[in-house]
Amino acid sequence: MIQKELTFMTESSTQPMKKSGDVEYPVVDLIQQRRSRRAYADTPVEQEKINSLFEAARWAPSSSNEQPWVYLYATKAQPELWNKIYDTLQNGNRIWAAKAPLLIVAMCRKTFIRNDRPNGSAKYDLGAANSLLSLQATQLGLNVHQMGGFERQLAIETLNIPDTHEPVVVMAIGYLGDREVLSENLKQREVAPRERYTQEFFVMNKSF
Ligand SMILES: Cc1cc2nc3c(=O)[nH]c(=O)nc-3n(C[C@H](O)[C@H](O)[C@H](O)COP(=O)(O)O)c2cc1C
């Protein structure tokens, strides 16, 4: 059904969901360079750089300037806290995230500070902040890999996350390491060309 609707959106009905690995129009270098890699070096992330990541997030736009993002991070130098975050990850992510020197739980406050009403934009705004954080990381030579594959309830319990907050993703961050240590399957994914739908799949200049 969706396929049918999307065909309608495109000029060409023969290739409605064409993907391309190329950047087809100019974009800033950081966008092109950013990738969600899985091979991490043991090198710790400097505290100053960690601060810069959160500073980038800080300057994201948000609905009513509410800034609903909240980050809980741990480095490998804090094994107890790092393990609490790591233990929430689903198996497919644990395999490679075990080497990440920095883990972050990205969450949002569910309600507006000023009136305690539900903030329907909270996750949207957190995503914007995470995008800026990721680009800042790229600029600093760091790799960010966001993961929705984690046990939310376990995170809530072990990290004492209050009911006012919702954990949305865990991020693994670090310098790139040797991809040869990865399993064959993951190695393939590391070297696979990136693919994206071309613009006609998601940009419209007419009504539905
Ligand atoms: C909200 C969100 C959840 C994600 N969850 C996972 C995950 O659990 N495991 C994983 O390996 N990658 C995860 N990713 C990474 C995506 O697979 C990745 O961004 C996508 O394949 C595009 O690749 P790129 O980031 O290298 O351009 C997630 C990304 C986002 C934004």
Side-chain angles (χ1 to χ4, degrees):
M1 175 59 90
I2 287 180
Q3 171 89 32
K4 202 171 155 202
E5 282 169 14
L6 292 172
T7 302
F8 170 71
M9 277 175 63
T10 64
E11 297 301 325
S12 151
S13 60
T14 50
Q15 274 203 312
M17 294 168 77
K18 183 169 151 261
K19 286 187 183 178
S20 159
D22 304 323
V23 171
E24 298 189 322
Y25 297 92
V27 294
V28 295
D29 288 346
L30 289 176
I31 293 175
Q32 230 173 316
Q33 288 161 18
R34 186 209 59 79
R35 281 199 65 164
S36 304
R37 302 272 190 199
R38 292 184 174 82
Y40 290 94
D42 294 327
T43 321
V45 181
E46 300 86 337
Q47 186 62 48
E48 205 171 299
K49 291 195 177 179
I50 296 175
N51 296 344
S52 285
L53 298 182
F54 295 129
E55 191 64 18
R58 181 177 170 225
W59 288 100
S62 63
S63 174
S64 302
N65 201 16
E66 169 71 17
Q67 304 156 62
W69 42 81
V70 177
Y71 295 100
L72 192 165
Y73 79 94
T75 68
K76 278 211 167 167
Q78 304 165 285
E80 197 183 335
L81 190 56
W82 187 96
N83 274 310
K84 277 187 183 173
I85 301 176
Y86 177 75
D87 287 345
T88 68
L89 298 179
Q90 291 172 356
N91 287 341
N93 291 326
R94 280 188 190 206
I95 294 167
W96 54 267
K99 281 200 73 180
L102 171 62
L103 293 177
I104 303 177
V105 183
M107 52 197 129
C108 56
R109 286 190 310 274
K110 295 192 256 186
T111 56
F112 285 103
I113 289 174
R114 67 174 189 284
N115 59 15
D116 214 25
R117 294 221 175 111
N119 179 357
S121 297
K123 280 197 208 171
Y124 181 94
D125 296 343
L126 174 65
N130 287 347
S131 285
L132 294 193
L133 185 155
S134 298
L135 292 180
Q136 182 66 43
T138 307
Q139 168 74 22
L140 295 171
L142 292 163
N143 177 69
V144 173
H145 199 132
Q146 302 187 58
M147 293 168 282
F150 73 104
E151 303 300 335
R152 282 153 182 77
Q153 194 51 39
L154 185 62
I156 288 167
E157 285 163 19
T158 57
L159 299 165
N160 292 323
I161 297 171
D163 190 39
T164 46
H165 292 52
E166 180 176 348
V168 180
V169 286
V170 174
M171 292 188 267
I173 302 182
Y175 293 99
L176 279 187
D178 182 6
R179 71 167 74 105
E180 290 307 313
V181 302
L182 296 174
S183 67
E184 203 47 48
N185 172 33
L186 290 180
K187 225 185 299 178
Q188 288 305 322
R189 289 166 77 174
E190 289 287 287
V191 295
R194 359 170 53 188
E195 273 196 334
R196 291 295 196 266
Y197 297 118
T198 49
Q199 288 193 23
E200 64 264 31
F201 182 66
F202 66 95
V203 180
M204 295 167 65
N205 192 219
K206 61 182 182 185
S207 58
F208 271 93

